[in-house]
Amino acid sequence: MGSLFDFMLPELKSPMTGATTDALMGFIHIVSFIILAGVTVAMIYFAIKYRRRSDDDKTPLITHNNKLEITWSVIPLLLVFIVFGWGYKGWLNLKSVPDNAYEIQVSAYKWGWTFSYENGAQVGNEVHVPAGQPVKLVMRSEDVIHSFFVPDYRIKQDVLPNRYTYVWFQAEEAGESQVFCTEYCGTSHSDMLAKVIVHTPEDFENWLSEQSSGGGGTPAERGENLITLQGCVTCHSVDGSQKIGPSFQGLYGREETMSDGSTITADENYIRESILDPGAKIVEGYQNQMVSYEGRLSDDDISDIIEYIKTLEE
Ligand code: CUA
């Protein structure tokens, strides 16, 4: 179905994230065209058939027609349900990152992108990824709202200050794709471009090992230093043992029960909030005794600490 509309969309290079979008776009275009043609033909036909022929040629007064009204209400309603259900299925897929996804940290700023890898490598305005493997981008902004858009992959996600968002894709073949910032963010918004550079898995490993970590170690190593320097380890163990606060071991991705009985999955946003506003959400059985680290830890520091916590599996 999608091939009919090739002239409108660039070639799809991440079918795992884009196939539903393309199929749904095709469906909407075909239905819209059928409705447009039907309405136009009917309009011309009635205009000719019921044209005024003489002065006493009067139209009878018609107040309503139940059959017709039900028909033209139910058919569009069904179409709306189909489009909603189809779109919802596609959205769920875009929000469900495969477990084996390769993770890259993204920082957006006025006006560019920084991509950080687990070995400490950092690259500006170019994100290198392996082909044939899902890639997850965990994104944040240093200033205003930006948006990460790759037309080839049919993915688009706002990038926000003070909060993490994510997207994933799987490029099937080596090559290049264009990234646009698609949220107006100031003077050079239109120059806020980047490239996705897809390597074969072997080439990607080679590329990654050639990148220097820029000193200071990997993000996880920096995070480990920080939690010692900042005294986090006084109250939070890293080996699961009981201290004043919850242990960092196995924290990332854990379902926590809060003091108000609700449950929450410990993700990037939860950990960030717990560092900056420790009283906001309290794990059941604990009392908050922690003060905010606002101003003591930068956004980069917080991301490094989260990367370290991710390594502390149970
Ligand atoms: Cu960043 Cu527009």
Side-chain angles (χ1 to χ4, degrees):
M1 203 187 260
S3 60
L4 252 178
F5 303 99
D6 277 355
F7 66 96
M8 292 174 150
L9 292 165
E11 188 196 339
L12 177 61
K13 292 179 179 168
S14 170
M16 287 181 76
T17 51
T20 309
T21 310
D22 283 16
L24 182 54
M25 278 276 282
F27 174 78
I28 291 171
H29 277 114
I30 288 169
V31 169
S32 302
F33 181 77
I34 291 171
I35 292 171
L36 173 72
V39 169
T40 310
V41 168
M43 225 166 61
I44 294 169
Y45 173 76
F46 287 131
I48 294 169
K49 182 167 181 199
Y50 297 110
R51 70 188 183 279
R52 182 163 142 155
R53 293 188 175 84
S54 65
D55 278 349
D56 45 51
D57 189 13
K58 291 234 171 72
T59 312
L61 178 69
I62 299 166
T63 58
H64 64 282
N65 183 322
N66 284 338
K67 257 190 216 159
L68 260 180
E69 285 164 23
I70 289 170
T71 309
W72 78 49
S73 301
V74 169
I75 292 177
L77 186 68
L78 287 178
L79 286 172
V80 168
F81 276 131
I82 292 171
V83 169
F84 173 80
W86 201 336
Y88 183 64
K89 195 177 139 237
W91 179 82
L92 277 184
N93 175 48
L94 289 176
K95 289 282 110 185
S96 312
V97 185
D99 287 339
N100 61 333
Y102 184 82
E103 204 176 292
I104 298 167
Q105 310 291 319
V106 182
S107 175
Y109 58 93
K110 291 192 286 186
W111 288 276
W113 307 88
T114 306
F115 300 94
S116 308
Y117 293 79
E118 59 188 351
N119 71 350
Q122 281 200 328
V123 194
N125 301 324
E126 264 184 17
V127 55
H128 294 251
V129 301
Q133 190 189 341
V135 172
K136 179 187 186 186
L137 303 179
V138 179
M139 309 189 290
R140 65 196 157 91
S141 167
E142 290 173 19
D143 36 52
V144 299
I145 301 178
H146 304 276
S147 186
F148 187 87
F149 178 35
V150 187
D152 286 353
Y153 303 160
R154 318 288 193 259
I155 55 167
K156 185 190 274 182
Q157 172 63 52
D158 273 12
V159 183
L160 311 169
N162 304 317
R163 191 172 137 185
Y164 293 93
T165 55
Y166 64 90
V167 276
W168 75 276
F169 58 89
Q170 177 170 323
E172 296 302 342
E173 279 166 30
E176 278 187 26
S177 287
Q178 184 66 50
V179 180
F180 297 95
C181 174
T182 182
E183 179 68 55
Y184 181 66
C185 56
T187 314
S188 296
H189 158 70
S190 56
D191 293 323
M192 193 171 161
L193 306 168
K195 282 247 178 341
V196 187
I197 297 174
V198 185
H199 301 275
T200 62
E202 306 80 59
D203 287 354
F204 176 72
E205 286 307 323
N206 290 337
W207 173 85
L208 191 59
S209 59
E210 281 165 15
Q211 301 303 305
S212 71
S213 71
T218 69
E221 284 164 4
R222 293 196 298 265
E224 185 176 8
N225 284 335
L226 275 167
I227 68 157
T228 309
L229 283 173
Q230 295 287 341
C232 311
V233 288
T234 312
C235 302
H236 300 274
S237 79
V238 294
D239 59 3
S241 62
Q242 200 57 34
K243 286 190 174 177
I244 290 171
S247 176
F248 288 159
Q249 190 188 46
L251 173 64
Y252 184 79
R254 187 159 68 202
E255 279 252 308
E256 295 274 40
T257 306
M258 296 294 132
S259 51
D260 66 358
S262 62
T263 57
I264 202 163
T265 303
D267 60 3
E268 285 89 349
N269 284 314
Y270 168 75
I271 298 172
R272 182 188 164 83
E273 185 186 41
S274 301
I275 293 171
L276 296 177
D277 185 8
K281 294 190 179 72
I282 312 292
V283 178
E284 193 175 37
Y286 289 92
Q287 301 257 308
N288 181 42
Q289 307 196 20
M290 178 172 158
V291 292
S292 170
Y293 276 71
E294 182 104 55
R296 290 166 67 184
L297 291 170
S298 69
D299 284 353
D300 285 337
D301 292 341
I302 292 171
S303 285
D304 289 345
I305 290 172
I306 293 172
E307 287 313 292
Y308 174 59
I309 290 175
K310 282 180 185 174
T311 66
L312 297 171
E313 288 169 25
E314 257 160 334

